[in-house]
Amino acid sequence: MSPESPTERLELAGMNDIPPEAIPPWEAEWTLFGPIANEGDSSNWPGKLGWDPLPLDAATEIPAEITIEGQVYRPQKTFSPDGLLDFDAIFGPTPGAPMVYLLQEIDSPEAGRLPIAFGANWGTEWWLNGELVYETRVGNFGDWHLRNSHQFEAPLQPGRNLLVVRVISGGANDWTMTVGHLPPRPGGSAEALPVQLPILSPLRPRPRDYTAPGLRIEERPAPPPVEVAAMQARVMAEHGVQAHWIGVVDPTGSPYGTSEFLPQRHEGRPEDEDLLIERVQHIHSRGMAAVTWFPGNHSRTAWETHADWRVYPFPGCETDGHQSHWGLCPLTPYGEALTQFVLESLDKYDLDGFWFDGTTWATSGAVACACKYCRRRFREDTGLEFPAAADWNDPAFQRWVAWRYEAFMNFWGQLADRVRRVHPHATIVINHLHRLRSSWLRAIPIDRYPARVLVGTEAMDSPFESAFHGRLVAAYGKPQSEVWMGIHKLFTRTSSWLSEADPLYRYAHHALATLTAGSWMSYGTPDPGERPADAYDRLGSLVNPRKPFEGGTAEPYVGLHLSQQSETHFFSRYTDWGFPKDCWQSFFGWHNLLAEKQLLTRLAFDAELTRAELFKYPVFLAPLSVALADEQVKLLEEYVERGGVLIVGPGFGACDRYGNPADPARVSALLGHDAVAADDAQPLLEAADPETTVRALGAGQVVELRGNVGLRFDRHRSPLLADEVAALLTRLAPPRVEIEGPRRLHVGLFRRPGKLYLHVQNFMAWSQAGSLPDPALTAPEPVENLRVTLHGLNAFSARLPLSDTQLDLAISGDTASLVIPRIDWHEVVELEV
């Protein structure tokens, strides 16, 4: 069809649906004292001063100055209209694990309760009128963009009140606090009875296969005494745990025991090796799988011993971050040493696998690796000379960035293959740290790769992240993908804790969000001993019976294009070697919008831009697909002409696969006009014009968005915007699944031979997530008689396998409908097709 094809113009009113009371004044303006020097980093957080008493702790007045360690600090004012306090931006780069005090005077006409919601990186203490009312000393591990990562109520007295907050940095980047808006808290505390998670009989899998267990717990202190190891194994196994991570290395990657390949830790004890062997024996005797944690490609003792194994940054791109001082390049002889250490440890300790955490090539902002081994391998693999500098405009550097992704994952694939030849039962897990706050510098690809490993990642405290990251790791196309969440807040109740909230519920929602997204879950570092037994009981009874219904092939409806070409080669080059937060928050917002409207969604990488993969999607959503190769543009044009619905955002196709300007006319057949020039990323991310056009092309449609819907929904959570976008999508491409229920429901549909499995989670809606108490901390309100309609899936019977209940299935043509009698937390529907 010619560029003059008819075009329908629409307005998305929800793009501007921002409540005027969103940011109340008290949350935006603060008095600051800082930055307070605090030696240390994230390896020994919270640093030298740590939680020692300091002058402003429990203050009841704002002083003219304070003195700490001989340094005088005077107050300064800061104002943040969006509630985000970025201390790196306020103070500039500060070494160590610096601290800051924030003080706020609040006038109250009478006694009451002030609802406070915040996210922070990392630790905080909160005092009101001299009394400690909340603390996060164990570390936040929360999405600091999510303003209700923490919630509590502070008791206001009539008249003037002084709120004092101490925030300790994690010693890396993103030293921030985000304070959000909550509605006023009415009357007395509600006394709603919590909905307990049912305790069901556990399923006992084969103990040597890490992929078979349900509940998986990371608990890896230094090698404990035999009686402690035996007690932990007993408590875990008797209360639903089916796999246990331990550590045969310390947090720096230095082995506790002796090794022929990696130097033992300096503080190593002769008995540590025997203690670890006995610990694994106790784990296996209780029917659990035993894997070990290992910090990616970091090993402090190896770094100190072998200078030629170290990661070598590009000149001028060095960093003082502590992990870069232990970072080792897998293309040096360290790669062989690590492989041999894995084989040695599997034999010595009788382990069932390795869980490689933080599997990154470079950290803390370094552009690396430029060692002699990398230079030689790059030349051998590409025929190009190694780039002279880290310069996005240099074609050799652009090619190096792409090569680096490939070389890194090839190493892990080779390690896994060599392990599997000797230990066929062993599982190799690669924890991807490319997520909502990790940059291209780490060399974790956002695309499929051939290594036969189990893919892992981490979610913070937000189950919305759990769902997003569940789909992110599933997009790699590897079975048994896994999303970890630390359960550091399991025992962090204070006197200000909300009565309706249960800390455990956050982790129940995490489990069900990842399962519904198509992956699995694990948990990390609870308090040792018998204290977590109740939590294990409740989590195990929730997840273990659901293990048989994990995974399958996600049924395609919307493919959300998360492009490494665009994220790395375009958006990252405009962030001063940093991380394009707004780009990722836009993807996150899009995902939450689609999930809220129960639209089946898969994240689609660049590897899916093939006829075999792309044409499976009725809707392909490319909101930030700026960098595309010519052949990818032509394929998308063919996709639309053959009946697909393509949704594009600002700057679509303006650059080639390496982020360089491309011929703007090459997208005119799709858009009806040339590509929008993209000289910088920020205008594309902040575009606010809500105009939308729908244009017919062949048998399909092209929808062009002139505003950043994903970022707008992430920031302002407009339900109207979600309704408008969903109505447009379903009008152009009828959905596979329709659910008549509240917008908080979260769904996934997965295909196995002869069967479909529909997962329905009684979750929460992003547009309603700012309520008090946080829905992530409360039991969901049950849903009764939920009607589900299926289109074109050819189902002929339905049952609830968790309760072995047969459902009536009404069939009319290619449409089938059923009613789920009740959903408390989550339900699975098994459909025969």
Side-chain angles (χ1 to χ4, degrees):
M1 183 171 284
S2 70
E4 288 74 29
S5 301
T7 297
E8 177 185 4
R9 298 191 182 279
L10 306 171
E11 293 289 328
L12 296 180
M15 290 286 286
N16 297 311
D17 182 25
I18 306 170
E21 71 281 6
I23 306 294
W26 81 265
E27 299 173 355
E29 188 171 359
W30 297 81
T31 299
L32 271 59
F33 287 84
I36 299 166
N38 182 32
E39 296 174 10
D41 51 38
S42 54
S43 66
N44 62 357
W45 181 88
K48 175 184 174 183
L49 299 178
W51 302 110
D52 293 345
L54 295 178
L56 277 177
D57 290 359
T60 57
E61 299 289 341
I62 300 178
E65 64 179 39
I66 60 172
T67 301
I68 300 175
E69 297 275 292
Q71 175 71 41
V72 176
Y73 299 90
R74 293 183 175 84
Q76 60 177 293
K77 294 286 188 179
T78 189
F79 181 78
S80 173
D82 60 1
L84 171 62
L85 295 158
D86 185 340
F87 304 116
D88 287 324
I90 293 170
F91 299 127
T94 308
M99 297 186 287
V100 63
Y101 279 100
L102 297 89
L103 291 86
Q104 177 69 259
E105 290 187 337
I106 302 171
D107 289 322
S108 178
E110 58 187 20
R113 291 173 296 154
L114 176 69
I116 294 177
F118 73 98
N121 194 2
W122 277 27
T124 65
E125 289 181 295
W126 296 68
W127 294 270
L128 184 65
N129 300 323
E131 298 293 330
L132 184 68
V133 292
Y134 198 80
E135 60 184 352
T136 58
R137 292 192 182 205
V138 294
N140 182 27
F141 282 88
D143 176 4
W144 41 263
H145 286 294
L146 185 62
R147 288 164 166 79
N148 62 345
S149 181
H150 298 269
Q151 289 187 348
F152 69 96
E153 295 176 313
L156 293 175
Q157 62 188 16
R160 175 189 170 278
N161 296 261
L162 183 65
L163 182 66
V164 179
V165 190
R166 190 188 338 173
V167 183
I168 300 183
S169 141
N173 55 7
D174 293 331
W175 179 28
T176 59
M177 187 172 78
T178 309
V179 186
H181 167 64
L182 289 176
R185 183 66 165 158
S189 214
E191 297 294 338
L193 294 176
V195 177
Q196 298 294 329
L197 302 180
I199 297 179
L200 306 177
S201 58
L203 300 180
R204 189 53 62 190
R206 299 190 309 276
R208 303 309 304 268
D209 181 5
Y210 178 74
T211 65
L215 184 58
R216 306 167 184 177
I217 297 293
E218 170 197 10
E219 178 59 50
R220 49 178 178 85
V226 173
E227 60 274 14
V228 174
M231 180 269 292
Q232 284 188 339
R234 174 185 59 79
V235 170
M236 286 186 175
E238 290 179 354
H239 295 275
V241 178
Q242 299 181 348
H244 180 190
W245 311 4
I246 64 170
V248 301
V249 296
D250 70 12
T252 74
S254 304
Y256 286 115
T258 59
S259 170
E260 293 184 39
F261 306 102
L262 297 180
Q264 188 179 16
R265 72 194 298 258
H266 305 310
E267 305 84 357
R269 303 174 301 177
E271 66 269 24
D272 282 348
E273 195 167 292
D274 291 336
L275 290 174
L276 287 169
I277 292 171
E278 292 195 52
R279 190 177 198 195
V280 175
Q281 290 173 350
H282 285 298
I283 293 170
H284 283 157
S285 71
R286 294 287 180 174
M288 294 184 290
V291 302
T292 185
W293 173 93
F294 193 98
N297 58 314
H298 297 90
S299 175
R300 187 172 190 170
T301 51
W303 188 95
E304 293 169 345
T305 307
H306 299 281
D308 67 328
W309 291 7
R310 299 174 185 174
V311 168
Y312 186 81
F314 275 64
C317 299
E318 298 86 353
T319 173
D320 291 329
H322 81 281
Q323 284 193 348
S324 64
H325 295 315
W326 311 334
L328 299 167
C329 175
L331 301 191
T332 70
Y334 172 69
E336 177 63 20
L338 178 60
T339 304
Q340 292 294 345
F341 176 77
V342 171
L343 293 168
E344 174 190 57
S345 299
L346 289 168
D347 280 328
K348 179 187 294 184
Y349 302 113
D350 194 26
L351 293 164
D352 304 316
F354 265 67
W355 210 96
F356 285 99
D357 187 16
T359 315
T360 61
W361 202 330
T363 56
S364 303
V367 180
C369 178
C371 72
K372 63 181 180 181
Y373 300 95
C374 285
R375 291 173 180 271
R376 183 175 64 204
R377 180 72 69 82
F378 178 73
R379 187 165 53 247
E380 291 172 352
D381 290 351
T382 67
L384 300 173
E385 289 300 317
F386 199 85
D391 179 4
W392 281 110
N393 296 314
D394 177 8
F397 180 74
Q398 296 171 4
R399 183 67 186 92
W400 173 81
V401 173
W403 167 85
R404 186 168 166 266
Y405 284 129
E406 299 162 7
F408 193 54
M409 298 320 298
N410 283 343
F411 164 75
W412 294 108
Q414 291 165 8
L415 182 149
D417 288 344
R418 290 178 61 183
V419 167
R420 199 173 290 109
R421 285 197 291 269
V422 181
H423 297 281
H425 76 283
T427 300
I428 300 297
V429 185
I430 304 298
N431 178 20
H432 284 183
L433 284 181
H434 214 320
R435 46 193 166 94
L436 284 175
R437 58 186 61 76
S438 302
S439 80
W440 66 276
L441 295 165
R442 301 184 179 215
I444 297 298
I446 321 169
D447 212 347
R448 294 189 174 183
Y449 53 83
R452 294 189 299 162
V453 296
L454 189 155
V455 174
T457 193
E458 301 174 17
M460 296 309 192
D461 289 323
S462 160
F464 295 104
E465 280 197 22
S466 304
F468 178 76
H469 289 135
R471 288 188 172 88
L472 177 63
V473 293
Y476 287 93
K478 302 181 188 304
Q480 311 290 343
S481 53
E482 178 179 315
V483 184
W484 174 96
M485 179 180 278
I487 48 178
H488 306 77
K489 297 179 185 175
L490 201 55
F491 309 108
T492 56
R493 282 186 177 275
T494 68
S495 59
S496 59
W497 191 270
L498 306 177
S499 60
E500 306 96 318
D502 186 328
L504 183 75
Y505 289 160
R506 184 191 308 276
Y507 309 117
H509 284 299
H510 165 71
L512 298 172
T514 55
L515 175 63
T516 305
S519 58
W520 197 244
M521 75 300 299
S522 61
Y523 298 96
T525 58
D527 284 356
E530 300 196 35
R531 194 176 181 193
D534 176 64
Y536 295 156
D537 265 336
R538 298 164 75 191
L539 288 174
S541 69
L542 183 76
V543 306
N544 292 341
R546 288 169 167 80
K547 178 62 180 174
F549 312 108
E550 172 203 10
T553 302
E555 194 68 12
Y557 174 65
V558 176
L560 175 55
H561 188 208
L562 208 171
S563 167
Q564 178 174 281
Q565 295 168 188
S566 298
E567 191 271 358
T568 298
H569 289 281
F570 180 74
F571 288 102
S572 290
R573 73 160 67 184
Y574 293 104
T575 57
D576 191 25
W577 306 104
F579 173 64
K581 296 176 188 174
D582 287 349
C583 172
W584 278 85
Q585 294 301 135
S586 181
F587 287 126
F588 185 53
W590 267 112
H591 172 269
N592 289 333
L593 184 154
L594 297 167
E596 179 165 322
K597 299 305 296 182
Q598 292 94 47
L599 299 175
L600 300 177
T601 303
R602 284 167 47 172
L603 299 186
F605 294 148
D606 293 325
E608 293 202 51
L609 291 181
T610 66
R611 285 181 178 82
E613 296 294 333
L614 175 63
F615 285 52
K616 294 177 182 177
Y617 294 105
V619 178
F620 196 73
L621 175 56
L624 295 174
S625 301
V626 178
L628 294 168
D630 289 346
E631 61 269 22
Q632 292 171 330
V633 174
K634 293 300 293 182
L635 179 65
L636 289 166
E637 186 179 334
E638 180 185 350
Y639 162 78
V640 176
E641 288 176 337
R642 294 192 178 188
V645 175
L646 175 65
I647 302 175
V648 304
F652 172 78
C655 298
D656 67 15
R657 68 167 72 242
Y658 293 115
N660 304 310
D663 178 6
R666 65 181 185 149
V667 300
S668 59
L670 275 166
L671 306 184
H673 59 79
D674 288 353
V676 176
D679 298 327
D680 194 354
Q682 205 57 34
L684 302 185
L685 292 168
E686 296 294 346
D689 182 358
E691 184 179 86
T692 300
T693 60
V694 181
R695 181 172 179 273
L697 179 63
Q701 307 278 343
V702 178
V703 179
E704 185 176 4
L705 302 170
R706 300 276 175 80
N708 195 320
V709 172
L711 199 58
R712 183 61 63 91
F713 189 66
D714 177 68
R715 290 178 175 173
H716 303 298
R717 306 177 186 177
S718 164
L720 174 59
L721 180 60
D723 293 343
E724 290 175 321
V725 172
L728 177 61
L729 266 60
T730 55
R731 173 167 69 87
L732 297 175
R736 307 272 169 89
V737 177
E738 289 184 275
I739 293 182
E740 298 176 22
R743 63 194 310 133
R744 68 176 183 268
L745 296 177
H746 175 215
V747 301
L749 183 63
F750 305 95
R751 186 176 293 272
R752 297 183 190 172
K755 296 184 186 296
L756 285 169
Y757 288 91
L758 176 69
H759 292 253
V760 183
Q761 180 189 4
N762 196 358
F763 191 41
M764 58 198 81
W766 180 254
S767 65
Q768 300 168 345
S771 61
L772 182 78
D774 181 359
L777 298 175
T778 58
E781 182 181 347
V783 176
E784 307 273 359
N785 298 319
L786 182 70
R787 178 169 293 278
V788 179
T789 303
L790 311 170
H791 299 285
L793 296 173
N794 300 317
F796 60 84
S797 72
R799 75 183 188 102
L800 304 178
L802 288 170
S803 59
D804 195 22
T805 302
Q806 200 70 26
L807 298 178
D808 292 330
L809 190 65
I811 301 174
S812 176
D814 69 347
T815 299
S817 61
L818 57 93
V819 175
I820 303 174
R822 178 185 172 98
I823 301 177
D824 289 306
W825 286 81
H826 172 271
E827 190 57 86
V828 181
V829 181
E830 182 183 73
L831 301 157
E832 291 193 75
V833 293

